[in-house]
Amino acid sequence: MTIALPMLLERTEALPGGSEKLQSTDVHGELVDGFDRHIEDLRISITDRCNFRCTYCMPEEGLQWLKSDIVLTFPEIVRLARIGVDLGIREIRLTGGEPTLRPGLPSLIRELSRIPALESLSLTTNGFLLRRLAGDLAEAGLTRINVSLDTLQHDKFHQITRRPFLDQVLAGLEELERHPTIRPIKVNAVAMRDFTEEDVVAFARLARRKPYVIRFIEFMPLDADGNWERERVLSGREIKAIIERDFMPLVPVPGQNPSSTSRLYRFPDGIGEIGFINPVSEPFCATCNRIRLTADGQIRTCLFSIEEHDLRRPMRAGATDQELADIFLRAVAHKEKKHRINEGEQFQRASRSMSQIGG
Ligand code: SAM
Ligand code: SF4
């Protein structure tokens, strides 16, 4: 049976509200995988839909959307998040698709921010709706944000996102500056050869002018169109060399967590920060502490997973918190050792593309 969308939203998006911290669940276990990695970071995709069509992520058209009745409701997301936190999750990042498209996002953030022992709650967004939403998100308890922005030129922005919305994204970033409880403001740019090079210095200048941490992330083979080629990966090392050659030397930010995915640098006078996330040229799988929950309630233990672990059906069939916790624990026990992007024939593309996984 198809349920009309407005009815579904009304039925599913109601959250209890209130400001007190939630009680913890009573589940047992610890999320440690077969390689002794402690899993503390959960990425939750709350929709597979998007208002952009970035060429490195989605096809122009033709992607099959998840049916709305299999997308997790907010109470279901909160329940699974609480179980995850009781098993050791300390950071939750909401993503998609484009998470700001989900009606009532601030109420979900408010509820997640009440989970005891959750240390970090963040959002990854393309920024298009931020001008309108930033205040509500801050008020709901969001404290960290990543905004994706791959170029500062209008024509290139249109080319890469297939949408002419650069000004809206920049306005969204400006709006964030008015909300100091959401810090740092991170800007993520996917780095692609023959595209990104000419934007590198402009981004470096922006990082000095604005309170943004600008990070370049290497292009990964997760695009729905399947156009990824190794030659198109512009490495962090190459970008750093461009900045140091054409702009200014960079100095490592002191005290960085060695297990962090990004390498952060400052300029010699201390103004601005630039980072590099190099999953292709310098894989960080050995210290990966992440799992993902898709919008339809599947655990993925690696971006490149071929197999998923279903939480939605058992949850809807009445599973207890401990039974759901056991699914988390079993999934994590089988977490992949590493991705195989650099292993030629051994590499198998992931079973879904980036917007369907939740990057
Ligand atoms: N729509 C939101 C956004 O764009 O920020 C959240 C979802 S998006 C899938 C999450 C992140 O994945 C974005 O920063 C995006 O740039 C990145 N991404 C998407 N496809 C990628 C790819 N093939 N390689 C590297 N990063 C990618
Ligand atoms: Fe949408 Fe984000 Fe994918 Fe771009 S990267 S198409 S904004 S989900």
Side-chain angles (χ1 to χ4, degrees):
M1 185 185 84
T2 320
I3 303 171
L5 190 63
M7 240 180 78
L8 183 75
L9 292 177
E10 208 174 295
R11 180 174 65 83
T12 60
E13 305 296 307
L15 281 164
S19 59
E20 74 285 3
K21 283 277 180 195
L22 296 172
Q23 296 292 310
S24 63
T25 59
D26 190 23
V27 300
H28 305 283
E30 204 186 345
L31 294 174
V32 184
D33 75 6
F35 304 95
D36 206 29
R37 293 172 296 193
H38 290 245
I39 305 307
E40 297 190 332
D41 184 337
L42 175 63
R43 304 268 157 124
I44 304 180
S45 171
I46 62 172
T47 178
D48 60 329
R49 306 203 179 206
C50 190
N51 44 0
F52 287 12
R53 291 289 180 276
C54 305
T55 54
Y56 50 75
C57 179
M58 287 180 104
E60 183 148 28
E61 51 191 33
L63 203 63
Q64 285 280 315
W65 306 122
L66 294 173
K67 291 211 170 62
S68 56
D69 60 346
I70 63 167
V71 172
L72 297 188
T73 65
F74 284 175
E76 288 172 333
I77 292 170
V78 173
R79 180 177 179 203
L80 294 178
R82 291 174 65 195
I83 292 170
V85 169
D86 282 346
L87 293 172
I89 294 294
R90 292 293 167 264
E91 296 178 33
I92 289 182
R93 171 173 296 280
L94 300 180
T95 181
E98 177 46 43
T100 58
L101 292 183
R102 187 89 186 244
L105 175 61
S107 67
L108 175 64
I109 288 177
R110 186 170 297 112
E111 197 71 6
L112 291 172
S113 71
R114 295 169 59 214
I115 298 179
L118 182 62
E119 291 167 8
S120 169
L121 177 60
S122 54
L123 178 76
T124 299
T125 171
N126 63 27
F128 177 75
L129 289 171
L130 273 183
R131 190 169 170 202
R132 172 143 61 85
L133 277 180
D136 290 347
L137 296 174
E139 194 266 323
L142 186 74
T143 53
R144 302 171 73 86
I145 198 156
N146 285 2
V147 180
S148 303
L149 175 60
D150 308 308
T151 172
L152 297 168
Q153 300 179 43
H154 285 89
D155 54 342
K156 287 179 68 185
F157 185 95
H158 195 166
Q159 177 195 337
I160 204 75
T161 63
R162 301 186 178 109
R163 298 289 184 269
F165 297 149
L166 174 60
D167 287 338
Q168 287 86 336
V169 176
L170 293 174
L173 282 166
E174 298 259 338
E175 181 62 30
L176 280 176
E177 290 177 45
R178 293 187 197 103
H179 300 281
T181 53
I182 305 183
R183 289 293 181 275
I185 301 172
K186 292 186 185 169
V187 175
N188 286 351
V190 176
M192 289 158 291
R193 190 173 306 287
D194 298 331
F195 182 86
T196 307
E197 293 90 332
E198 61 178 19
D199 280 289
V200 167
V201 170
F203 272 125
R205 287 188 204 284
L206 185 69
R208 286 175 61 72
R209 209 175 65 240
K210 292 285 196 177
Y212 307 157
V213 179
I214 298 184
R215 307 179 316 163
F216 295 94
I217 174 161
E218 290 174 351
F219 180 26
M220 291 181 279
L222 289 162
D223 55 318
D225 285 334
N227 287 331
W228 182 89
E229 287 174 357
R230 178 166 303 279
E231 297 66 44
R232 296 198 56 208
V233 179
L234 181 68
S235 70
R237 184 187 295 260
E238 291 172 277
I239 297 174
K240 182 166 177 281
I242 296 175
I243 296 176
E244 298 200 304
R245 185 193 65 207
D246 296 347
F247 191 52
M248 232 185 258
L250 290 169
V251 185
V253 171
Q256 292 180 62
N257 181 346
S259 71
S260 165
T261 54
S262 64
R263 297 279 161 264
L264 286 176
Y265 294 83
R266 283 187 189 143
F267 297 99
D269 58 9
I271 306 174
E273 274 186 27
I274 288 274
F276 303 98
I277 304 174
N278 303 335
V280 182
S281 68
E282 296 173 48
F284 34 79
C285 307
T287 55
C288 177
N289 67 349
R290 248 171 232 177
I291 55 173
R292 291 179 159 79
L293 179 65
T294 63
D296 57 340
Q298 311 298 306
I299 300 178
R300 293 179 65 92
T301 48
C302 175
L303 268 177
F304 296 93
S305 289
I306 312 289
E307 278 176 33
E308 302 180 338
H309 305 260
D310 186 17
L311 283 168
R312 185 190 74 250
R313 287 184 194 85
M315 176 166 58
R316 291 186 177 176
T320 63
D321 286 352
Q322 186 60 54
E323 285 164 345
L324 295 173
D326 289 341
I327 297 173
F328 270 101
L329 292 165
R330 274 199 301 276
V332 163
H334 292 101
K335 181 171 162 67
E336 296 78 348
K337 183 178 182 192
K338 57 178 181 158
H339 71 61
R340 296 180 177 272
I341 303 176
N342 298 318
E343 295 179 23
E345 297 289 293
Q346 296 292 320
F347 176 67
Q348 234 184 314
R349 283 189 69 102
S351 56
R352 309 196 199 199
S353 56
M354 193 62 134
S355 66
Q356 300 165 314
I357 295 171

